[in-house]
């Protein structure tokens, strides 16, 4: 279904945020302690902190659908009885505004993991209540490589797609959910007469021309096929690639597609609070079972992460890669090892 | 910096060619021009990928400790800020000095790429240096920036680079009330994602198994059930590193959330300096640290209450 384009003067975006947050929770990329994060805004929030110019938030939009920590249940001992309370709370309808194309694609990756069989009800709840409003990337960074995964940052798929072209915000619903939100904002959004306004066409061209010049835009995926699984697994290059890895979880926690979690009990003194939290395949106790840990060395853990993104996941999901080229691992790894270096080395090029 | 870069590479070449070491721990150039990773070079032939420039902030002594099982000698390049942690690791028997060829290298400060980005510089293609200015060629035009404005936090108090007092910020923090300090840390630590980058890059953290990774410790945490746990993690780390932390600045450099962890470490260092005399790891024997030896002249524990002024 083709939806029409709406426009709003950029200077009235504050009103738009006000109207959205009057009926739903609204999350925007905001500066907090010098870092950019998706944060909840309401009528008391100073919109000065909203940052739509900065390309990426430190953590991804994944956090809104799959938070780092989620309470599951609480157990409390009362004499000989154990009282059990479900901690699952219902999510209010919310809007994530300013989601970049890479983060939006990542939700598709998470959907396949969480909404298959068995269904993850906690994720499903958040996913069904959340409306994703994407924002085109006017100024991509040198760390970006989303185009490698056929993601178009000039036209970012979402429930609503938006663009900021000069003084105008363009708005186009991309799903039923997005159309519903658009209706609620009827008082502000102005339908454009053209199918695609001139300003929008120009902006898209401009973005695509920058994407064409990105230094990491031509990485090859050719080598990363399910048939090459064994060959890639056995590649001696993993040893050298994993040398700088210190086994922290930074890459996994800033990654928009990393989806592994652990379930833990927090001792409250009178019982336990059971919660789930992100886990990292880089950690020594990841997937530890009764017999011990299946991956005892850092090189195995390191290989697992990249094989999962580039080979195992696409093999199981119709060729969809579990990387969206957001570049967070490129800019955040303490020792500058990342997806790009792995792809260059295993794809046949030395990673200099 | 450019001269020093060539000299360092030449030194590295001589070490590998002469067989003074089997391997050399240095940095490998990245095509981005700044994202250089620590790397092991096994022959002079591999050195065409070697780099030493403004973007080699990582402390190699921690990685050196991981190579202690390797056969033969390892050469390591140490910037001024890395040397104290090297000494600590030697003192704690994590590095065998007999197996190491230590090379002290000059440094005029390392650039923090995040600080460049925070100045609104995007799409970096190439960074060159002329005088005290960085010339940054980007996808969005040419930019300039004074290098001293974008140095890593740890460089700002390095005597070779700056005349600033490392403890100024700690002093300012001490002037706040305990409630204000609590609010500050509550806010700062609330962004912690427990990725363990601070711990895993820390030269002091060389425990075979950290208490936070031990499922039987009751404190193993991959995330926090509540704010108390974030505090717990960082405060335990600071106290464990007390008297051993050399302020190498790695924890602050690597934190993906930009948490000013150096403030915690420097507070402890400042207190130790004031109560036990200037912290130095160079000459001290194992077990003779401020917190690992006892004398009757030591400060009485109630000094904490007296010093904070809070009852």
């Amino acid at each position: 279904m083709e939806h029409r384009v709406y426009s709003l003067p950029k200077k009235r975006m504050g009103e738009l945020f006000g109207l959205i947050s009057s009926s739903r929770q609204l999350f925007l990329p905001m500066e907090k302690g010098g870092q950019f994060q998706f944060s909840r805004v309401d009528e008391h929030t100073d919109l000065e902190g909203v940052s739509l110019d900065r390309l990426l938030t430190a953590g991804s939009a994944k956090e809104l659908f799959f938070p780092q920590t989620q309470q599951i249940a609480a157990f409390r001992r009362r004499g000989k009885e154990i009282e059990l309370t479900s901690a699952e709370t219902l999510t209010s309808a919310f809007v994530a505004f300013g989601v970049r194309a890479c983060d939006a694609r990542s939700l598709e990756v998470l959907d396949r993991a969480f909404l298959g069989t068995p269904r993850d009800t906690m994720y499903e709840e958040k996913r069904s209540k959340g409306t994703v409003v994407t924002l085109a990337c006017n100024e991509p960074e040198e760390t970006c490589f989303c185009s490698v995964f056929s993601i178009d940052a000039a036209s970012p798929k979402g429930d609503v797609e938006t663009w900021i072209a000069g003084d105008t915000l363009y708005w186009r619903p991309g799903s039923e959910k997005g159309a519903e939100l658009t209706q609620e904002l009827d008082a502000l959004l102005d339908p454009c007469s053209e199918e695609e306004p001139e300003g929008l066409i120009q902006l898209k061209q401009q973005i695509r021309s920058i994407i064409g010049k990105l230094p990491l835009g031509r990485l090859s995926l050719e080598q990363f096929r399910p048939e090459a699984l064994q060959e890639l697994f056995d590649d001696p290059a993993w040893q050298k690639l994993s040398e700088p890895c210190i086994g922290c979880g930074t890459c996994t926690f800033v990654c928009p597609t990393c989806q592994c979690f652990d379930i833990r009990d927090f001792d409250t003194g009178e019982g336990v609070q059971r919660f789930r939290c992100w886990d990292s395949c880089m950690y020594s106790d990841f997937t530890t079972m009764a017999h011990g840990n299946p991956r005892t060395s850092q090189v195995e853990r390191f290989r697992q992460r990249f094989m999962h993104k580039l080979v195992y996941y696409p093999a199981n999901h119709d060729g969809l890669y579990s990387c969206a080229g957001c570049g967070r691992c490129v800019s955040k790894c303490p020792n500058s090892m990342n997806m790009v270096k792995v792809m260059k080395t295993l794809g046949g090029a030395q990673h200099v | 910096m450019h001269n020093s870069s060539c000299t360092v590479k030449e030194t590295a070449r001589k070490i590998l060619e002469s067989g003074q070491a089997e391997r050399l721990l240095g940095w490998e150039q990245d095509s981005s021009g700044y994202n250089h990773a620590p790397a092991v070079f096994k022959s002079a032939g591999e050195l065409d990928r070697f780099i030493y420039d403004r973007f080699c902030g990582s402390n190699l002594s921690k990685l050196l400790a991981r190579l202690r099982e390797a056969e033969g000698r390892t050469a390591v390049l140490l910037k001024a800020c890395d040397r104290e942690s090297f000494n600590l690791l030697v003192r704690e028997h994590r590095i065998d000095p007999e197996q190491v060829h230590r090379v002290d290298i000059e440094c005029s400060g390392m650039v923090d790429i995040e600080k460049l980005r925070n100045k609104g510089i995007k799409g970096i293609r190439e960074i060159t240096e002329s005088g005290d200015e960085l010339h940054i060629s980007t996808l969005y035009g040419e930019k300039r920036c004074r290098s001293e404005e974008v140095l890593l936090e740890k460089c700002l108090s390095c005597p070779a680079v700056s005349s600033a007092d490392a403890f100024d910020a700690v002093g300012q923090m001490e002037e706040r009330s305990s409630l204000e300090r609590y609010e500050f840390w509550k806010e700062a630590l609330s962004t912690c994602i427990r990725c363990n980058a601070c711990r895993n890059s820390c030269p002091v953290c060389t425990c075979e198994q950290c208490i936070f990774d031990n499922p039987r410790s009751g404190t193993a945490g991959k995330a926090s059930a509540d704010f108390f746990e974030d505090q717990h993690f960082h405060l335990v780390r600071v106290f464990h590193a007390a008297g051993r932390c050399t302020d190498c600045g790695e924890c602050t450099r690597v934190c993906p959330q930009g948490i000013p962890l150096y403030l915690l470490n420097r507070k402890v260092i400042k207190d130790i300096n004031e109560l036990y005399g200037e912290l130095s790891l160079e000459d001290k024997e194992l077990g003779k640290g401020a917190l690992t030896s006892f004398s009757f002249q030591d400060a009485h524990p109630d000094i904490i209450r007296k010093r904070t002024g809070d009852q």
Side-chain angles (χ1 to χ4, degrees):
Chain A
M1 176 175 53
E2 263 308 304
H3 292 277
R4 71 188 306 176
V5 179
Y6 297 78
S7 74
L8 178 80
K10 193 183 163 193
K11 58 175 190 278
R12 295 189 68 187
M13 280 173 71
E15 290 170 58
L16 181 79
F17 296 148
L19 192 53
I20 296 174
S21 61
S22 67
S23 62
R24 302 163 190 240
Q25 291 185 355
L26 173 63
F27 293 87
L28 289 170
M30 295 193 67
E31 190 186 337
K32 189 181 176 191
Q35 292 287 308
F36 299 86
Q37 317 275 2
F38 276 98
S39 307
R40 170 132 187 240
V41 300
D42 56 29
E43 67 267 36
H44 308 297
T45 312
D46 181 2
L47 293 177
E48 279 290 301
V50 176
S51 172
L52 298 174
D53 291 336
R54 182 81 175 210
L55 190 74
L56 286 178
T57 44
S60 73
K62 160 179 100 174
E63 298 169 0
L64 301 174
F65 300 91
F66 173 44
Q68 179 158 23
T69 308
Q70 251 177 320
Q71 303 300 329
I72 298 173
F75 303 87
R76 206 183 152 105
R77 199 179 309 156
R78 287 185 188 280
K80 286 187 174 177
E81 309 247 296
I82 292 176
E83 188 182 275
L84 167 67
T85 359
S86 166
E88 208 175 334
T89 47
L90 293 179
T91 308
S92 316
F94 71 94
V95 171
F97 185 98
V99 176
R100 301 295 180 178
C102 47
D103 281 7
R105 159 68 69 84
S106 303
L107 293 174
E108 209 180 302
V109 173
L110 297 181
D111 284 352
R112 287 182 179 240
F114 290 137
L115 302 180
T117 316
R119 290 178 95 72
D120 185 301
T121 53
M122 291 164 85
Y123 176 82
E124 190 176 31
E125 160 78 6
K126 291 203 178 284
R127 197 72 171 93
S128 67
K129 299 285 175 62
T131 304
V132 177
V133 181
T134 60
L135 177 62
C137 304
N138 289 10
E139 294 181 310
E141 291 276 16
E142 78 281 5
T143 50
C144 296
F145 55 107
C146 67
S147 59
V148 171
F149 301 101
S150 312
I151 296 170
D152 185 4
S155 190
K157 287 199 166 51
D159 294 319
V160 177
E161 298 170 34
T162 71
W163 295 263
I164 297 176
D167 296 331
T168 311
L169 171 81
Y170 291 107
W171 173 287
R172 184 169 66 196
S175 72
E176 281 303 316
K177 224 194 251 178
E180 255 174 60
L181 176 68
T182 308
Q183 260 182 1
E184 286 175 32
L185 305 170
D186 194 35
L188 281 171
L189 296 172
D190 202 10
C192 297
S193 48
E194 314 96 308
E195 196 178 303
E196 191 138 289
E198 188 54 36
L200 183 51
I201 294 170
Q202 274 179 15
L203 178 70
K204 282 186 179 179
Q205 277 172 355
Q206 203 181 314
I207 294 175
R208 287 182 185 134
S209 122
I210 299 165
I211 289 171
K213 291 182 210 154
L214 291 178
L216 304 179
R218 284 178 198 84
L219 290 170
S220 167
L221 287 170
E222 207 183 319
Q223 181 66 15
F224 304 101
R225 297 162 284 119
E227 309 82 69
L229 189 152
Q230 196 60 46
E231 194 190 325
L232 287 164
F233 188 88
D234 295 332
D235 199 313
W238 290 113
Q239 190 64 44
K240 180 86 185 151
L241 282 166
S242 67
E243 248 164 29
C245 175
I246 54 171
C248 74
T250 304
C251 55
T252 49
F253 288 179
V254 298
C255 177
T257 66
C258 270
Q259 54 209 230
C260 294
F261 63 85
D262 195 2
I263 293 176
R264 293 265 168 160
D265 285 347
F266 176 65
D267 188 345
T268 59
E270 359 175 67
V272 292
Q273 218 171 297
R274 178 159 297 172
F275 64 101
R276 81 160 167 196
C277 59
W278 294 348
D279 204 349
S280 171
C281 50
M282 294 290 169
Y283 289 167
S284 58
D285 64 344
F286 180 74
T287 62
T288 294
M289 293 170 265
H291 83 286
N293 193 324
R295 296 182 203 100
T296 51
S297 68
Q298 199 57 37
V299 58
E300 291 167 283
R301 293 172 202 145
F302 182 89
R303 175 176 61 191
Q304 165 61 23
R305 175 157 197 273
F306 296 100
M307 286 294 283
H308 187 210
K309 304 267 180 223
L310 298 170
V311 186
Y312 308 149
Y313 188 96
N316 288 333
H317 297 282
D318 316 310
L320 179 70
Y321 288 93
S322 178
C323 173
C326 73
R328 285 185 179 88
C329 59
V330 179
S331 56
K332 295 290 185 184
C333 173
N335 273 347
S336 304
M337 182 39 71
N338 54 58
M339 180 57 96
V340 170
K341 290 184 184 180
V342 168
M343 285 171 73
K344 283 188 180 174
T345 306
L346 297 179
Q350 190 45 257
H351 59 81
V352 173
Chain B
M1 194 72 189
H2 184 67
N3 273 335
S4 143
S5 170
C6 294
T7 320
V8 173
K9 192 164 179 172
E10 211 31 58
T11 309
R13 185 178 306 283
K14 279 182 194 152
I15 290 169
L16 289 172
E17 276 174 355
S18 66
Q20 285 170 282
E22 295 292 312
R23 68 192 72 76
L24 178 126
L25 193 48
W27 294 270
E28 184 178 43
Q29 183 169 21
D30 181 58
S31 56
S32 63
Y34 62 81
N35 222 356
H36 313 317
V40 177
F41 299 88
K42 290 188 178 140
S43 68
E46 288 177 7
L47 287 175
D48 51 341
R49 293 180 287 113
F50 177 91
I51 184 88
Y52 180 62
D53 64 7
R54 282 279 200 188
F55 302 95
C56 298
S58 49
N59 181 348
L60 300 177
S61 18
K62 177 76 181 263
L63 290 172
L64 180 66
R66 280 194 354 204
L67 288 170
R68 73 182 159 201
E69 304 290 329
E71 291 228 352
R73 280 157 72 87
T74 303
V76 65
L77 306 177
L78 298 174
K79 307 186 294 289
C81 53
D82 307 337
R83 290 173 206 156
E84 287 281 284
S85 38
F86 175 86
N87 293 336
L88 173 94
L89 288 163
V90 168
R91 206 162 63 91
E92 297 189 344
H93 306 302
R94 298 301 193 189
I95 292 173
D96 176 2
E98 297 296 312
Q99 291 292 304
V100 175
H101 182 89
R102 167 186 170 158
V103 186
D104 289 355
I105 53 174
E106 278 178 37
C107 170
S108 49
M110 292 293 163
V111 170
D112 184 344
I113 204 78
E114 279 295 306
K115 284 192 182 167
L116 268 181
R117 293 195 204 286
N118 286 342
K119 282 182 166 291
I121 295 173
K122 300 177 181 190
I124 299 166
R125 294 305 316 271
E126 196 187 2
I127 306 174
T128 51
E129 200 175 358
S130 137
D132 55 0
E133 239 186 5
L134 296 176
H135 294 211
I136 308 123
S137 161
T138 79
L139 291 162
Y140 309 101
E142 302 298 313
K143 315 274 174 188
R144 278 161 189 247
C145 167
R146 288 172 61 81
S147 45
E148 62 179 38
E149 290 172 20
V150 288
L151 294 181
L152 286 170
E153 182 58 45
K154 62 176 165 185
C155 306
L156 300 181
S157 55
C158 170
V161 177
S162 150
S163 55
D165 182 352
F167 300 112
D168 268 358
V170 179
Q172 285 164 21
M173 189 63 80
E174 285 169 345
E175 280 165 24
R176 302 192 190 186
S177 72
S178 58
L179 188 67
E180 283 169 336
R181 289 198 297 269
Y182 177 77
E183 287 302 323
F184 174 86
W185 285 109
K186 193 173 170 183
E187 171 83 13
L189 296 179
S190 70
T191 60
C192 173
I193 54 172
R194 294 297 294 277
C195 66
N196 294 314
C198 51
R199 180 193 71 182
N200 290 20
S201 63
C202 175
V204 167
C205 280
T206 52
C207 293
E208 290 293 327
Q209 188 176 39
C210 175
I211 189 167
F212 292 105
D213 284 345
N214 181 352
R216 289 184 207 94
S217 67
T219 53
K222 288 174 176 165
S224 309
D226 61 12
F227 168 62
F228 167 78
E229 284 206 283
D230 284 329
Q231 268 189 313
H232 183 64
F233 173 74
H234 289 287
L235 294 182
V236 166
R237 232 182 70 70
V238 162
F239 279 105
H240 195 180
R244 303 163 65 227
C245 168
T246 62
D247 199 19
C248 77
E250 278 295 82
C251 50
T252 308
R253 181 184 71 82
V254 302
C255 178
Q257 300 291 86
I259 301 171
L261 294 166
Y262 65 96
L263 289 174
L264 292 174
N265 294 317
R266 286 186 188 165
K267 166 64 179 161
V268 174
I269 294 173
K270 182 169 180 279
D271 282 357
I272 289 178
N273 287 350
E274 287 169 8
L275 298 172
Y276 302 94
E278 190 95 352
L279 175 76
S280 162
L281 298 157
E282 186 83 52
D283 318 311
K284 287 187 181 155
E285 296 163 45
L286 188 66
K288 294 287 180 193
L291 301 183
T292 46
S293 61
F294 169 77
S295 86
F296 284 102
Q297 280 75 49
D298 281 355
H300 191 273
D302 78 345
I303 190 97
I304 295 170
R305 272 199 302 282
K306 286 186 190 144
R307 283 163 57 94
T308 55
D310 293 319
Q311 293 304 314

